[in-house]
Amino acid sequence: MKRNLHRAVSQGLIATFTLSLASSVFADYTTRCGSDGGRYRTCRLSSPGYVTVERRISGAECDQGRSWDFTRREIWVDDGCEADFRVET
């Protein structure tokens, strides 16, 4: 009986640790990317995900597909767009 209880507790702890590790590996994050002097620039993503503008920093508009967009590996900005981008992993 003690052995089964010990095994169940151990398996529960392992499962909890695995889930917490996975959630930290795949956590959403924010990154800033800006168009210096109105020029085209790319900013590498530390991990791929779906990108949205969280907060615009510049006075210039940040319109997806026009002054910013993203691929699986990077965000590109242009025409003075600077923003904090939310990456949902």
Side-chain angles (χ1 to χ4, degrees), residues 3 8 16 20 23 28 38 40 43 46 56-57 62 64 68-69 76 78:
R3 184 177 216 160
T16 301
S20 66
S23 66
D28 296 348
Y40 178 88
C43 301
S46 59
R56 191 179 64 179
I57 306 299
C62 292
Q64 187 173 4
W68 80 273
D69 218 331
W76 64 261
D78 204 357

Side-chain angles (χ1 to χ4, degrees), residues 4-6 12 16 19 27 41 43 45 47 55-56 58 76 78 84:
N4 289 340
L5 180 60
H6 179 67
T16 301
L19 287 173
R41 178 179 176 206
C43 301
L45 296 175
S47 61
R55 184 171 70 102
R56 191 179 64 179
S58 64
W76 64 261
D78 204 357
D84 289 333

Side-chain angles (χ1 to χ4, degrees), residues 23-86:
S23 66
S24 66
V25 170
F26 298 108
D28 296 348
Y29 64 96
T30 302
T31 186
R32 184 170 290 184
C33 189
S35 167
D36 297 325
R39 294 190 191 108
Y40 178 88
R41 178 179 176 206
T42 61
C43 301
R44 187 120 177 114
L45 296 175
S46 59
S47 61
Y50 181 77
V51 178
T52 55
V53 172
E54 184 168 279
R55 184 171 70 102
R56 191 179 64 179
I57 306 299
S58 64
E61 291 297 319
C62 292
D63 295 320
Q64 187 173 4
R66 186 170 165 199
S67 56
W68 80 273
D69 218 331
F70 69 99
T71 67
R72 285 188 48 80
R73 298 179 189 259
E74 65 188 13
I75 298 168
W76 64 261
V77 290
D78 204 357
D79 297 328
C81 171
E82 181 178 9
D84 289 333
F85 293 91
R86 177 91 175 153

